[in-house]
Amino acid sequence: MTYQGLIHRYGHLLDLPAHTQNISLLEGNTPLIPMPRLGKEFGCELFVKFEGLNPTGSFKDRGMTAAISEAVGRGAQTVICASTGNTAASAAAYASRAGLRSIVLIPEGKVAAGKLAGAIAYGAEVIQIQGSFDDALSLVVEITQKTPIALVNSINPYRVEGQKTAAFEICDVLDNAPDWLCLPVGNAGNITSYWAGFKQYQKGLPQVLGVQAAGSAPLVLGHPVDNPETIATAIRIGRPARGEQALEAAQQSNGRIIAVSDAEILSAQKILASEGVWVEPASAAGLAGLIAESAFGKFDASGKRIVVVCTGHGLKDPSVITDSFTSPKVIPANYEALISLVGG
Ligand code: AN7
């Protein structure tokens, strides 16, 4: 049977109310790409779960199909979220598909071009906040407590329900959970969802390596960060809403949450691209964490089966690449100029 989206495929395993009306863009079913060349360097069997191939270019679509399907079924007319960008684009797309109004609050000047463009293209009312993601999140929590507007951040439990499906898919492909799962951590909805998904699916449990950016690492530091900074703007978050659950997932899985520098993130992004997988900076944090842990000898990957979750597509944030390279060379439109540049 042709693929009909996540609620159709896994809805029986998701705790969604009876009023839920399936709103889908055929999200999920993303590839688990084998990375044999890179895996060889760690002596492990390495896979990338490429979530950038979801309809709006990030893993957020998994939770959004569930949150919007529930919201529209209960009669909501307007949805709202705070976002570092990907949630905004996803909420806008699914809300439009459901015929709902969407409002997204983003930190002024700190959202990557592809995400902002997406949110606008899909029809969201985009509001920039003179503050951080965390400030925006407090505001949307307040307005949804005081009005009928529905909250679609991952505080919304249906977001977590939807995002559990990524764990199900990995187990379906590998037959079992991997030994390790490495992924970026921002507001901590995704790590919470994966852990809930693996526990529910009963195909074994991975050890979980959650990775924050060093300038935005409240879960590593053990306290909130008031002015988070990182080139990986997707995870520029100082007060993760599901921080406690993220720490629990790391602890229960006998894994850990670590921080990596922006330089390590960009280096991991380059390595992934050299294997044909271009992801946005935040999405490279999982691999950056794996590399750092291995280099410090804290991690013996040999013989293990490891899944690195790449949460968003490189096209979301093209300026990270174009800003750091000189422009391509310009030549006259003739063969002599071309061959003299390229060489025989
Ligand atoms: C590419 O869009 O928080 O730990 O508002 O876009 O579940 O927050 C995005 C987060 C990782 C972190 N990778 O996931 C938002 C937002 C990418 C992301 C994360 C985000 P969570």
Side-chain angles (χ1 to χ4, degrees):
M1 211 203 309
T2 54
Y3 185 69
Q4 294 180 54
L6 285 177
I7 292 180
H8 181 263
R9 171 131 185 225
Y10 292 115
H12 60 290
L13 298 173
L14 307 182
D15 188 6
L16 299 174
H19 63 242
T20 301
Q21 277 175 26
N22 190 353
I23 303 293
S24 176
L25 287 162
L26 308 194
E27 60 293 314
N29 199 23
T30 56
L32 191 65
I33 305 176
M35 307 291 277
R37 197 166 53 174
L38 189 54
K40 216 169 163 189
E41 289 182 29
F42 298 103
C44 75
E45 194 183 1
L46 187 69
F47 298 87
V48 162
K49 179 69 170 161
F50 193 15
E51 290 289 277
L53 296 181
N54 274 293
T56 78
S58 85
F59 73 98
K60 301 289 182 181
D61 295 340
R62 293 181 185 276
M64 209 52 75
T65 183
I68 297 289
S69 296
E70 187 281 330
V72 75
R74 107 171 96 96
Q77 292 181 342
T78 304
V79 299
I80 196 167
C81 65
S83 182
T84 58
N86 280 325
T87 302
S90 185
Y94 283 82
S96 290
R97 184 130 176 128
L100 305 180
R101 178 182 174 206
S102 62
I103 304 168
V104 305
L105 272 58
I106 58 173
E108 183 186 13
K110 295 291 184 182
V111 168
K115 304 175 190 182
L116 183 56
I120 296 166
Y122 295 126
E125 293 162 45
V126 179
I127 302 172
Q128 297 201 77
I129 299 297
Q130 293 174 325
S132 65
F133 166 86
D134 307 287
D135 299 322
L137 186 60
S138 315
L139 284 168
V140 299
V141 166
E142 186 175 355
I143 199 171
T144 53
Q145 281 166 352
K146 294 177 176 168
T147 71
I149 299 175
L151 177 76
V152 294
N153 278 105
S154 61
I155 298 171
N156 178 325
Y158 306 118
R159 283 278 310 277
V160 172
E161 287 303 308
Q163 287 176 207
K164 289 191 309 195
T165 57
F168 303 163
E169 287 178 9
I170 290 171
C171 293
D172 284 347
V173 172
L174 298 180
D175 283 335
N176 288 304
D179 297 307
W180 276 90
L181 183 85
C182 309
L183 80 172
V185 176
N187 210 25
N190 209 28
I191 188 172
T192 299
S193 307
Y194 268 99
W195 187 238
F198 283 116
K199 282 199 291 193
Q200 180 180 342
Y201 218 51
Q202 302 197 341
K203 294 267 179 105
L205 295 170
Q207 291 177 266
V208 178
L209 182 70
V211 186
Q212 301 207 284
S216 307
L219 300 178
V220 179
L221 296 170
H223 59 76
V225 174
D226 283 333
N227 297 300
E229 265 316 334
T230 168
I231 193 160
T233 52
I235 51 174
R236 187 176 167 274
I237 294 173
R239 293 173 189 272
R242 292 189 183 271
E244 288 300 317
Q245 285 165 281
L247 293 167
E248 237 173 68
Q251 195 194 9
Q252 287 179 8
S253 76
N254 197 21
R256 50 198 171 269
I257 297 184
I258 63 164
V260 293
S261 69
D262 282 5
E264 290 173 300
I265 287 174
L266 292 177
S267 161
Q269 183 189 33
K270 244 185 188 167
I271 291 169
L272 286 163
S274 77
E275 299 271 340
V277 180
W278 182 29
V279 307
E280 65 167 285
S283 302
L287 178 63
L290 175 60
I291 293 171
E293 290 283 281
S294 306
F296 290 136
K298 290 188 186 166
F299 194 101
D300 182 11
S302 63
K304 302 264 165 57
R305 200 176 228 189
I306 300 178
V307 171
V308 167
V309 180
C310 289
T311 44
H313 202 286
L315 286 166
K316 291 278 190 172
D317 197 354
S319 62
V320 164
I321 306 298
T322 51
D323 290 355
S324 64
F325 290 92
T326 51
S327 315
K329 293 200 174 81
V330 180
I331 59 167
N334 64 57
Y335 183 77
E336 288 69 31
L338 176 64
I339 195 69
S340 78
L341 187 65
V342 172

